[in-house]
């Protein structure tokens, strides 16, 4: 461990910062020296061509400093940067026959099919006890259910008028829904799909910030509900109530903070045997094309601090907020997930149908970058762990969401292992859910 | 103000049973109304009603969708989008997107106020998303030469979070700004040439 740290220190003190200053991205893209030697190399694009000399906008010299809370904090005044803005998915789902199914590639022996379409902004996925698949949304106000009945699949809206109902969890017949600033539940939902009751609130002691306010939620092996509270900005000093993961009892009581320094996690799950929690976390925007990378983290102790907004990707101090801090004071990621790649939903493979090599493998949906000239991500990667739970490798598993022309044809958000041994993948760009299965 | 209240009353009556209308007749029935409020030539003469000329189809589609779903709450527009199918929403946004962009107002802006507005816009990088000439792109609306009263109204609504937006970007952008800043920005954007 101490070796690791000293190697990282040197990396940090020397190469990385020097490279950053020199604006040379290639090496900075390497993961920290060891455990996480797992940057998904095969999918990593070559470093973007050097940006054309910055063309100053009309009066840049005089432009006063941008306020720290701004989503554009840190953004340079260059033409290349001016091309980058979040990619807004269309609000209307793509018709089933127009889905880019033929573009989506999986390893030999696997196949992909459309599981459901017509679900605007399909995001988080959960399977009910009776086989219903629930789908959350971030930009529309609805939670949908994909209902399997008599061999036919239909989609219905089970709750609407909600504010960014991105997160879902399911336990003992009850569906839990996370809106921007409140958690509610619908009991016996699968018995009432035709006429579901309105969700009842169980917890709303949550900040109302829109920035990174939408939530992924999950119920842990301890039967507690885990709820992230993102950093309310691209890069700022968050209040004590933010940049953390909390847990509460299923009755909404007994809140406890389990992790800090979490900028914006939109996916987590627990190792099937060690029961340790792993979570994805998205790094800040506008620092550079290649740094920082998104993270995959592991919680080994309640209360650990994962660095944001002081230290990103385990070895890069933030250009503004990192002064006086040291990365060695924070937990390192177990793997880097690519710069700006938006590593979102993740699940441990629990399928008995997938080949043995994928046992306890983490599948992570990388939604794909917007804050990078040459886009990265737009795939589902397979993260292999060793017996100690450290990352051995990160390999592309399902690709093709990002076209060769640097435009998305689809964008994966969440993955879900079904009881039947298949894996579902949601796509918020087309409003669809795909099914990946192995063998016949 | 009064003009559109009267109009709305008329409209509510005429759109009472929108479900029966087929796509073609729905378009024929409602498109003249859009132009009445928003302006035949893309320039709105109606108070607190935006000019829609030069807006991108992506922005228009998103906003019409939010009106239909009731996520953006403006009763008369919720009424207008009611009963529209996804295809109707596309037809209307493509139709509106063809209107020409509004020209700058005849009256020059007061130089001192223009300078203040410009400085605020530069500091907050409004042009980064809305384009340096504020003509808009993708999901980002054209704000150049928009009606001043509507610019003030829309920014106040982001500021007090009654209009969350499709993506919550504008809430973040306006967080460091106060109401006086909003008024100056609106003045500048309305008069910019």
């Amino acid at each position: 461990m101490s070796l690791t740290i000293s190697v990282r220190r040197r990396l940090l003190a020397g190469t990385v910062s020097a490279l950053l200053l020199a604006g040379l991205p290639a090496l900075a893209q390497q993961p920290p020296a060891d455990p996480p030697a797992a940057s998904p190399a095969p999918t990593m694009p070559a470093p973007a061509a050097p940006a054309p000399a910055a063309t100053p906008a009309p009066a840049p010299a005089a432009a006063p400093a941008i306020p720290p809370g701004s989503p554009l904090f840190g953004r340079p005044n260059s033409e290349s940067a001016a091309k980058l803005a979040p990619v807004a998915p269309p609000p209307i789902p793509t018709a089933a026959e127009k889905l880019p199914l033929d573009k989506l590639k999986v390893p030999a022996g696997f196949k992909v099919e459309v599981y459901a379409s017509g679900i605007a902004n399909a995001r988080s996925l959960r399977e009910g006890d009776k086989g219903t698949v629930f789908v959350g949304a971030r930009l529309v106000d609805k939670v949908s259910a994909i209902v399997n009945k008599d061999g036919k699949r239909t989609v219905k809206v089970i709750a609407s008028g909600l504010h960014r109902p991105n997160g879902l969890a399911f336990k003992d017949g009850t569906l839990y829904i996370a809106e921007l600033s409140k958690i509610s539940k619908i009991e016996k939902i699968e018995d009432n799909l035709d006429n579901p009751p309105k969700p009842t609130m169980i917890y709303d002691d949550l900040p109302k910030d829109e920035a990174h306010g939408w939530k992924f939620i999950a119920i842990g092996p301890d039967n507690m509900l885990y709820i992230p509270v993102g950093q309310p900005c691209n890069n700022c000093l968050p209040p004590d109530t933010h940049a953390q993961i909390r847990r509460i009892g299923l009755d909404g009581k007994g809140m406890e903070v389990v992790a800090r320094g979490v900028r914006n996690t939109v996916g987590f799950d627990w190792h099937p045997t060690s029961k340790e929690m792993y979570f994805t976390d998205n790094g800040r925007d506008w620092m550079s094309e290649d740094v920082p990378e998104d993270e995959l983290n592991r919680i080994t102790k309640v209360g650990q601090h994962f660095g944001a907004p002081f230290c990103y990707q385990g070895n890069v101090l933030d250009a503004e907020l990192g002064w006086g801090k040291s990365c060695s004071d924070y937990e390192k990621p177990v793997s880097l997930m690519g710069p700006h790649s938006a590593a979102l939903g993740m699940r441990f493979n629990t399928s008995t149908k997938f080949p043995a090599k994928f046992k306890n493998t983490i599948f992570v949906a990388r939604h794909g970058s917007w804050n990078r000239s040459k886009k990265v991500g737009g795939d589902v990667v397979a993260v292999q762990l060793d017996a100690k739970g450290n990352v051995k490798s990160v390999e592309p598993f399902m690709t093709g969401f990002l076209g060769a022309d640097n435009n998305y044809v689809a964008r994966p958000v969440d993955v879900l292992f079904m009881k039947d041994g298949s894996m579902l993948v949601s796509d918020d760009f087309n409003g669809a859910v795909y099914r990946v299965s192995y063998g016949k | 103000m009064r003009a559109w209240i009267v109009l709305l009353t008329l409209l509510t009556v005429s759109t009472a049973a929108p479900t029966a209308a087929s796509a073609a007749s729905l378009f024929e029935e409602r498109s003249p109304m859009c132009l009445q409020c928003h302006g035949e030539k893309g320039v709105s003469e109606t108070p607190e009603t935006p000019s829609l000329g030069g807006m991108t189809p992506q922005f228009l589609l998103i906003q019409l969708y939010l009106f239909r779903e009731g996520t953006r709450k403006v009763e008369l527009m919720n009424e207008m989008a009611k009963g529209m199918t996804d295809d109707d929403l596309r037809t209307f946004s493509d139709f509106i997107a063809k209107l020409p962009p509004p020209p700058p107002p005849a009256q020059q802006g007061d130089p001192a106020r223009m300078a203040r507005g410009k400085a605020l816009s530069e500091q907050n990088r409004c042009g980064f998303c809305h384009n340096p000439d504020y003509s808009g792109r993708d999901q980002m609306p054209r704000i150049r030469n928009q009606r001043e009263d509507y610019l003030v109204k829309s920014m106040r609504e982001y500021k007090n979070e009654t209009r969350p937006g499709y993506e919550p970007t504008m809430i973040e952008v306006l967080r460091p700004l106060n109401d006086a800043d909003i008024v100056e920005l609106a003045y500048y954007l309305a008069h910019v040439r």
Side-chain angles (χ1 to χ4, degrees):
Chain A
M1 195 63 196
S2 65
L3 177 70
T4 317
I5 290 173
S6 71
V7 170
R8 282 204 191 97
R9 276 233 180 89
R10 257 185 294 127
L11 235 181
L12 173 63
T15 12
V16 173
S17 44
L19 285 168
L20 275 174
L21 287 174
L24 226 178
L27 277 175
Q29 200 179 302
Q30 298 297 319
D34 28 323
S39 200
T43 51
M44 279 299 101
T55 328
I66 190 158
S70 167
L72 293 173
F73 187 71
R75 179 185 181 286
N77 221 344
S78 75
E79 234 173 63
S80 327
K83 296 202 185 88
L84 306 180
V87 184
I92 291 174
T94 306
E97 68 278 8
K98 294 207 177 123
L99 287 169
L101 190 62
D102 57 335
K103 301 261 168 38
L104 304 180
K105 303 288 179 241
V106 282
F110 288 89
K111 77 166 192 252
V112 193
E113 61 203 305
V114 175
Y115 186 73
S117 62
I119 309 172
N121 199 235
R123 299 270 301 183
S124 303
L125 299 169
R126 290 289 169 193
E127 185 182 19
D129 295 335
K130 299 180 181 170
T132 312
V133 174
F134 298 96
V135 190
R138 180 168 82 87
L139 298 174
V140 309
D141 62 338
K142 297 173 187 21
V143 173
S144 306
I146 307 169
V147 184
N148 292 291
K149 206 174 162 198
D150 310 326
K152 274 183 61 185
R153 228 174 275 140
T154 49
V155 174
K156 51 174 68 134
V157 172
I158 53 145
S160 59
L162 307 178
H163 190 49
R164 310 205 187 281
N166 185 77
L168 300 178
F170 191 95
K171 182 96 192 187
D172 299 333
T174 300
L175 179 71
Y176 297 82
I177 302 174
E179 294 177 70
L180 185 91
S181 60
K182 76 176 180 218
I183 314 292
S184 48
K185 65 173 182 183
I186 307 180
E187 288 173 0
K188 300 203 179 81
I189 177 69
E190 286 181 289
D191 302 332
N192 294 293
L193 289 167
D194 288 327
N195 201 3
K198 281 222 169 316
T200 51
M201 196 273 287
I202 60 164
Y203 182 72
D204 68 350
D205 186 13
L206 287 163
K208 296 194 166 44
D209 302 271
E210 285 280 350
H212 303 151
W214 61 91
K215 299 184 168 9
F216 178 94
I217 54 168
I219 295 168
D222 53 2
N223 220 22
M224 304 281 278
L225 185 65
Y226 284 70
I227 308 166
V229 180
Q231 187 171 297
C233 49
N234 168 34
N235 199 45
C236 62
L237 202 60
D240 223 30
T241 41
H242 292 63
Q244 58 186 227
I245 303 176
R246 307 176 177 183
R247 66 179 168 201
I248 57 173
L250 296 183
D251 56 358
K253 301 207 169 72
M255 191 280 276
E256 177 185 24
V257 174
V258 284
R260 295 189 183 272
V262 181
R263 182 176 172 277
N264 183 30
T265 176
V266 197
F268 36 84
D269 197 13
W270 287 262
H271 190 289
T273 49
S274 77
K275 308 291 181 209
E276 281 176 337
M277 180 175 170
Y278 288 68
F279 67 93
T280 57
D281 195 13
N282 290 186
R284 64 163 288 192
D285 308 322
W286 297 122
M287 192 150 141
S288 82
E289 292 265 2
D290 293 307
V291 175
E293 295 200 27
D294 287 356
E295 302 171 358
L296 178 68
N297 292 299
R298 167 163 61 152
I299 302 183
T300 50
K301 234 178 34 225
V302 165
Q304 284 170 316
H305 194 297
F306 289 86
F310 313 113
C311 171
Y312 290 109
Q313 68 165 48
N315 65 355
V316 176
L317 285 174
D318 183 67
E320 285 86 21
L321 300 168
W323 291 95
K325 307 283 178 185
S326 165
C327 280
S328 56
D329 291 337
Y330 308 108
E331 300 306 317
K332 315 273 180 210
V334 289
S335 180
L336 301 188
M337 302 302 291
H340 310 294
S341 69
L344 303 185
M346 54 158 278
R347 293 291 195 286
F348 280 90
N349 168 28
T350 50
S351 167
T352 49
K353 302 261 171 73
F354 272 34
K357 78 171 243 209
F358 290 118
K359 185 163 186 237
N360 292 351
T361 295
I362 312 176
F363 286 79
V364 183
R366 301 197 309 167
H367 196 222
S369 65
W370 63 265
N371 192 217
R372 195 172 194 280
S373 300
K374 181 151 178 22
K375 296 191 173 81
V376 173
D379 53 21
V380 176
V381 293
V383 180
Q384 305 267 8
L385 307 180
D386 64 17
K388 294 207 179 96
N390 294 320
V391 172
K392 270 196 320 208
S393 67
V394 182
E395 281 163 18
F397 177 79
M398 183 179 185
T399 57
F401 296 83
L402 173 58
D405 62 355
N406 206 29
N407 284 318
Y408 294 108
V409 295
R411 298 186 80 186
V413 178
D414 199 13
V415 295
L416 171 73
F417 282 93
M418 298 279 286
K419 288 188 212 84
D420 72 1
S422 65
M423 179 179 81
L424 300 186
V425 179
S426 61
D427 166 9
D428 67 347
F429 197 74
N430 294 299
V433 177
Y434 310 103
R435 177 176 189 265
V436 179
S437 55
Y438 186 71
K440 296 224 166 58
Chain B
M1 190 79 168
R2 202 161 295 141
W4 62 251
I5 293 180
V6 174
L7 244 170
L8 174 65
T9 335
L10 289 175
L11 295 177
T12 336
V13 178
S14 64
T15 57
T19 36
S22 76
S25 65
L26 189 137
F27 182 75
E28 276 157 29
E29 180 191 300
R30 292 193 201 174
S31 53
M33 300 173 187
C34 317
L35 299 183
Q36 264 177 55
C37 282
H38 289 285
E40 300 261 343
K41 300 206 170 67
V43 184
S44 156
E45 308 281 342
T46 327
E48 296 199 335
T49 303
S51 296
L52 295 183
M55 294 280 192
T56 63
Q58 292 95 317
F59 172 74
L60 294 166
L61 180 67
I62 288 172
Q63 300 305 319
L64 286 175
Y65 175 85
L66 297 178
F67 286 132
R68 183 185 73 184
E69 302 299 313
T71 329
R72 182 172 169 189
K73 292 187 179 64
V74 180
E75 219 171 301
L76 62 98
M77 277 308 302
N78 297 142
E79 202 60 44
M80 286 310 302
K82 202 171 180 172
M84 286 192 188
T85 62
D86 288 354
D87 282 339
D88 292 334
L89 296 182
R90 279 202 199 90
T91 309
F92 277 98
S93 39
D94 291 346
F95 161 69
I96 300 284
K98 294 204 182 76
L99 295 171
Q107 190 124 20
Q108 293 269 359
D110 166 60
R113 291 194 71 186
M114 291 302 281
R116 277 203 298 277
K118 183 166 191 249
L120 279 168
S121 167
E122 269 163 17
Q123 183 187 8
N124 293 280
R125 315 294 197 260
C126 310
F128 277 3
C129 292
H130 292 278
N131 276 356
D133 63 354
Y134 312 111
S135 57
R137 60 176 158 140
D138 304 326
Q139 81 274 24
M140 271 104 36
R142 180 185 187 89
I143 49 177
R144 182 189 179 87
N145 302 138
Q146 180 56 275
R147 287 184 64 94
E148 191 180 340
D149 60 356
Y150 176 72
L151 288 168
V152 172
K153 177 174 193 280
S154 60
M155 282 190 272
R156 282 187 179 147
E157 286 174 353
Y158 288 127
K159 179 81 191 167
N160 66 23
E161 302 195 12
T162 47
R163 176 176 170 188
Y166 187 58
E167 298 261 8
T169 329
M170 280 306 295
I171 292 179
E172 275 183 82
V173 170
L174 293 178
R175 186 160 301 146
L177 298 174
N178 62 29
D179 198 63
D181 298 333
I182 287 178
V183 169
E184 291 309 299
L185 277 167
Y187 183 85
Y188 164 69
L189 292 168
H191 291 86
V192 72
R193 35 182 90 226

